Amino acid sequence: MGRRRQSVTIKHVAADAGVSLQTVSRVINNEPNVRPEMKERVQASIDKLGYVPSIAAQRMSGSRSYLILAINDRERTIADWKARQGTDWVDQMLFGGMLKCAEYGYRMIFELVDTHTDHVERELRATIAALQPDGVILTPPHSDNPLIVGLLHAQKIPFARIGSHGGEAGIALTMDDEGAAARATRHLIGLGHRRIGFISGSVEYDLSHWRIDGWKSEMAAAGLPVEGLLAEGDFSFASGEAAARRLLEGAAPPSAIIASNDQMSLATLEVARERGLDVPRDLSLVSFDNTPIVHFAQPPLTAVDQPVAATVARAVELIIAAQRGEKLPKVPTVVSGSLIERGSTAPPPGD
Amino acid sequence: MGRRRQSVTIKHVAADAGVSLQTVSRVINNEPNVRPEMKERVQASIDKLGYVPSIAAQRMSGSRSYLILAINDRERTIADWKARQGTDWVDQMLFGGMLKCAEYGYRMIFELVDTHTDHVERELRATIAALQPDGVILTPPHSDNPLIVGLLHAQKIPFARIGSHGGEAGIALTMDDEGAAARATRHLIGLGHRRIGFISGSVEYDLSHWRIDGWKSEMAAAGLPVEGLLAEGDFSFASGEAAARRLLEGAAPPSAIIASNDQMSLATLEVARERGLDVPRDLSLVSFDNTPIVHFAQPPLTAVDQPVAATVARAVELIIAAQRGEKLPKVPTVVSGSLIERGSTAPPPGD
DNA sequence: ATGAAAGCGCTAACAT
DNA sequence: ATGTTAGCGCTTTCAT
């Protein structure tokens, strides 16, 4: 294939406007030291010729790349894509991230990176070298991967850590997992429940612990026990089934269960059905994530929404601010999701 | 923010290996005229230093950008993201496209472009100027937008037109809409249905016509009538409801309906329920697209799968082939989806 | 306030 | 088979 060169370059604009390249560059980048009339003249040429700067050239000459890289865990993302269960985490990331980037003249690039392999660092380093992004958005479990965090910190690339309470490096953002779990628990307590079970996610994820904490502290605040009411899952349907069985087969089973994601909630619903328990009459159920499938469950699930789009959008804003050298909050930015009440929660039996 | 320059460049590698830049370049690009031992030595330095070429610099010097741009209709995509109905078209595009790109050392960039505005051309031109992609993947309705097709053709950028029978320009790929509709029809005829209704999608999309054609020709082949059995929708739930009513309120209602997407199928299911019709006992239903929600419908819907991931993957292969100057098929590439039988189809009442 | 020169990292074209 | 040169489009010096 033949060389494909830029059709309209800064040179054409400069020639058309009868000014130097530098002046055009100043106009493009909104720099000072250009007289308004000059600026106008140059802008007119830009519009007339339909000129758009080449990101490659901008990047080459050492300025911004206007690219923000968002990375997800490869394994889990591909598993979701294959399963086709309607998980829309990626969609919501793009929704929040791409649109916010566009507002600032940036572009979001979505990539997959393996967290687990020993060559995470090499993989990420390669992507960064190739793309030269102005910022990086990390999602769990990358957000707390010390190799990744260390690399980004060393390279001085602004980066957001979604679902992380952070540390020294990077910009931490959380979706208020602890608060959300507390709200879910409070909702159930308000309905009259006293034995509220909790199915946690994989302990590899910090957010699993935060959710447990929110539930525990709310239970404690209401003077309710938690012994025998916690079951560990790993976010998979199968693990949810097993956890629900453990909870419901006990001597004093809960009248309500909070499960740490939608798959495990669906599994719990299934186990309840098996055991002849009607939801919400015999068992109330609150889910986490609020992915599309919750509308389609029977009954539709009351769920804590994960504000993925809003959080990623905020991450973009913070990265761009950091990039501009603005001061950033030292504490994690919290974007809270709300509890969406649907048909899976009701007062406990006999209430 | 300070200049962030490439940490390891081709120069470092050249110095380390004690060769010229050009030799390193040849090794990177797998070009001939490098002695094996030389190649090995250079590769060793590359590995040692962890060198990765800068895409920006590669692009600047007139070679490939290793970027393939995939564009979707902005309005429809954002509507899907907002609705959170589990539509996973974007996910499947990324699934097929990103992974296939990675195999070839390319990268897929996903973008949204407004088809309807008068500045489509300006918008796309800007994206192309900024990114300099080596190829573009168009999805409906962009695939048949003459402005877009013309622009890409003029710029000599290889591009794929998904869901298009094509024309002179670009690489056309279809998901065998006509064949799929025929298969769905045949399935119902095989079950004993004789009055099979069809709810079409928006006529703005060519594929709507192809699906109608597939249904009509199969009906004709079986000697069955189609009069009064076609209702037009626009892919929305509301339009599906209206269409289903028109079909079911007639004097001789169909015993089976094929709807051109999942939303309209769900709407049909709803209308059937309203009218006291049990699916599949009183009415059989076949859907198109097979997005995640079909599993969760009651009953789960028999549906024609849209092989989005496979089609996009194929598009990537064809673009890269074109880019390398290989010969391409003149006829549209067909990637067929299969009919997934679930619980919404059965023999007609009284059979 | 504007312009000229140098260089970013890489590859095509042209030596050798 | 390998090296040298020039230049991609832009922004950074550094003049003026």
Side-chain angles (χ1 to χ4, degrees):
Chain A
M1 289 298 290
R3 340 246 39 46
R4 194 172 49 254
R5 297 245 105 96
Q6 200 89 340
S7 44
V8 181
T9 73
I10 198 170
K11 273 189 190 165
H12 298 98
V13 177
D16 185 83
V19 298
S20 73
L21 302 184
Q22 194 41 37
T23 302
V24 178
S25 173
R26 287 192 178 103
V27 172
I28 296 167
N29 297 292
N30 250 310
E31 279 169 26
N33 296 338
V34 184
R35 275 190 323 223
E37 65 225 59
M38 188 86 270
K39 183 166 177 168
E40 212 171 305
R41 181 144 63 103
V42 172
Q43 191 58 54
S45 293
I46 289 177
D47 294 342
K48 185 176 116 195
L49 301 176
Y51 167 73
V52 180
S54 149
I55 282 192
Q58 293 188 125
R59 176 65 255 179
M60 280 298 299
S61 57
S63 101
R64 276 155 290 190
S65 66
Y66 296 100
L67 258 28
I68 289 181
L69 179 67
I71 63 175
N72 254 29
D73 185 44
R74 171 174 287 127
E75 212 178 322
R76 207 159 73 93
T77 305
I78 291 180
D80 282 346
W81 285 343
K82 279 197 180 136
R84 303 199 64 178
Q85 294 293 305
T87 303
D88 64 348
W89 172 276
V90 172
D91 298 83
Q92 295 300 308
M93 281 185 69
L94 297 178
F95 185 25
M98 288 181 60
L99 301 194
K100 184 56 77 179
C101 277
E103 279 178 32
Y104 288 89
Y106 280 69
R107 214 167 291 276
M108 185 163 107
I109 298 197
F110 178 77
E111 286 273 321
L112 301 178
V113 170
D114 257 321
T115 268
H116 289 294
T117 67
D118 50 341
H119 55 266
V120 211
E121 216 182 323
R122 188 150 46 82
E123 198 179 348
L124 184 57
R125 200 186 283 280
T127 304
I128 289 173
L131 255 23
Q132 303 268 38
D134 287 340
V136 176
I137 297 177
L138 263 26
T139 56
H142 295 319
S143 305
D144 288 306
N145 182 320
L147 261 48
I148 295 180
V149 169
L151 171 61
L152 260 14
H153 184 59
Q155 302 228 0
K156 294 200 171 51
I157 299 176
F159 65 103
R161 303 167 65 178
I162 292 185
S164 168
H165 277 188
E168 2 38 81
I171 306 163
L173 296 101
T174 81
M175 301 193 216
D176 192 22
D177 293 274
E178 182 162 353
R183 271 197 301 286
T185 309
R186 209 149 53 227
H187 169 64
L188 291 167
I189 292 173
L191 286 169
H193 292 273
R194 304 190 55 78
R195 291 195 61 76
I196 302 173
F198 195 92
I199 299 178
S200 81
S202 163
V203 292
E204 187 191 356
Y205 289 69
D206 282 348
L207 60 85
S208 294
H209 299 287
W210 303 333
R211 291 177 184 177
I212 293 172
D213 291 347
W215 163 71
K216 275 192 181 163
S217 64
E218 200 62 27
M219 292 294 273
L224 299 174
V226 295
E227 287 84 21
L229 289 171
L230 174 62
E232 185 187 326
D234 63 7
F235 295 125
S236 71
F237 189 92
S239 77
E241 265 184 307
R245 287 221 173 82
R246 254 173 285 143
L247 251 24
L248 294 173
E249 282 167 2
S255 66
I257 289 179
I258 303 172
S260 286
N261 79 341
D262 294 328
Q263 286 300 320
M264 297 195 298
S265 297
L266 251 34
T268 303
L269 196 59
E270 192 53 41
V271 170
R273 206 185 314 272
E274 262 174 32
R275 304 178 63 83
L277 298 172
D278 180 80
V279 173
R281 199 193 59 208
D282 307 316
L283 178 72
S284 281
L285 184 56
V286 177
S287 187
F288 256 88
D289 288 1
N290 193 35
T291 55
I293 50 173
V294 300
H295 318 293
F296 303 109
Q298 294 291 348
L301 305 181
T302 293
V304 175
D305 184 55
Q306 289 281 97
V308 175
T311 306
V312 173
R314 190 84 193 94
V316 167
E317 289 175 339
L318 291 169
I319 284 174
I320 292 175
Q323 226 250 153
R324 290 178 176 166
E326 293 171 24
K327 285 252 167 30
L328 294 180
K330 267 292 158 206
V331 295
T333 297
V334 176
V335 181
S336 297
S338 45
L339 180 74
I340 317 277
E341 296 183 35
R342 295 200 183 84
S344 66
T345 46
D351 234 46
Chain B
M1 289 299 292
R3 335 245 45 44
R4 196 170 49 252
R5 296 246 105 98
Q6 201 89 338
S7 44
V8 181
T9 72
I10 198 169
K11 273 190 190 165
H12 298 97
V13 177
D16 186 83
V19 298
S20 74
L21 301 185
Q22 193 47 12
T23 302
V24 178
S25 174
R26 287 190 179 107
V27 172
I28 297 166
N29 296 292
N30 250 310
E31 278 168 28
N33 296 338
V34 184
R35 273 189 325 219
E37 62 224 63
M38 187 86 272
K39 183 166 177 170
E40 211 169 306
R41 181 144 63 105
V42 172
Q43 190 58 53
S45 293
I46 291 177
D47 294 342
K48 184 176 113 194
L49 301 176
Y51 166 74
V52 180
S54 150
I55 281 192
Q58 293 188 126
R59 176 66 253 179
M60 280 299 297
S61 59
S63 102
R64 276 154 291 190
S65 66
Y66 296 101
L67 259 28
I68 288 181
L69 179 67
I71 63 175
N72 255 30
D73 185 44
R74 172 175 285 127
E75 211 178 322
R76 207 159 73 94
T77 305
I78 291 179
D80 282 345
W81 285 344
K82 278 196 180 137
R84 303 197 65 180
Q85 293 295 305
T87 304
D88 64 347
W89 172 277
V90 172
D91 298 85
Q92 295 301 307
M93 280 183 71
L94 296 178
F95 184 26
M98 288 181 60
L99 300 194
K100 185 55 77 177
C101 277
E103 279 177 33
Y104 288 90
Y106 280 69
R107 197 151 237 127
M108 185 163 105
I109 298 197
F110 179 76
E111 286 273 322
L112 301 178
V113 169
D114 257 323
T115 270
H116 289 294
T117 67
D118 50 340
H119 55 266
V120 211
E121 215 183 325
R122 188 150 47 80
E123 199 180 347
L124 184 57
R125 203 185 281 281
T127 303
I128 290 173
L131 255 23
Q132 304 268 37
D134 287 339
V136 177
I137 297 177
L138 263 28
T139 56
H142 295 319
S143 305
D144 288 305
N145 182 319
L147 261 49
I148 296 180
V149 170
L151 171 62
L152 259 14
H153 185 59
Q155 301 227 2
K156 294 199 171 51
I157 299 177
F159 65 104
R161 304 167 66 179
I162 291 185
S164 168
H165 277 188
E168 8 29 87
I171 306 163
L173 296 100
T174 81
M175 301 194 215
D176 192 21
D177 292 275
E178 182 163 354
R183 270 198 300 286
T185 309
R186 207 148 53 225
H187 169 63
L188 291 167
I189 292 173
L191 286 169
H193 292 274
R194 305 193 52 80
R195 290 195 62 76
I196 302 172
F198 195 93
I199 299 179
S200 81
S202 164
V203 292
E204 187 189 357
Y205 289 70
D206 282 347
L207 60 85
S208 295
H209 299 287
W210 303 332
R211 290 177 185 177
I212 294 173
D213 291 347
W215 163 69
K216 276 193 180 159
S217 64
E218 200 64 27
M219 291 293 272
L224 299 173
V226 295
E227 288 84 21
L229 290 171
L230 174 62
E232 186 187 325
D234 65 6
F235 293 125
S236 72
F237 188 91
S239 77
E241 264 183 309
R245 288 221 173 79
R246 254 173 285 143
L247 251 24
L248 295 173
E249 281 167 4
S255 65
I257 289 179
I258 302 173
S260 286
N261 78 343
D262 294 328
Q263 288 299 322
M264 298 195 297
S265 297
L266 251 34
T268 303
L269 197 59
E270 194 53 41
V271 170
R273 208 185 313 271
E274 261 175 33
R275 305 179 60 85
L277 297 172
D278 180 80
V279 172
R281 200 194 56 211
D282 307 315
L283 178 72
S284 281
L285 183 57
V286 178
S287 187
F288 256 89
D289 288 2
N290 192 37
T291 55
I293 50 173
V294 299
H295 318 292
F296 303 110
Q298 295 289 347
L301 304 181
T302 293
V304 175
D305 184 55
Q306 289 281 97
V308 175
T311 307
V312 173
R314 191 82 193 93
V316 167
E317 290 175 339
L318 291 170
I319 284 174
I320 292 175
Q323 226 250 153
R324 290 178 175 166
E326 294 172 24
K327 285 253 167 29
L328 295 179
K330 269 289 158 208
V331 295
T333 297
V334 177
V335 181
S336 297
S338 45
L339 180 75
I340 316 276
E341 296 184 36
R342 296 200 183 85
S344 66
T345 44
D351 235 48

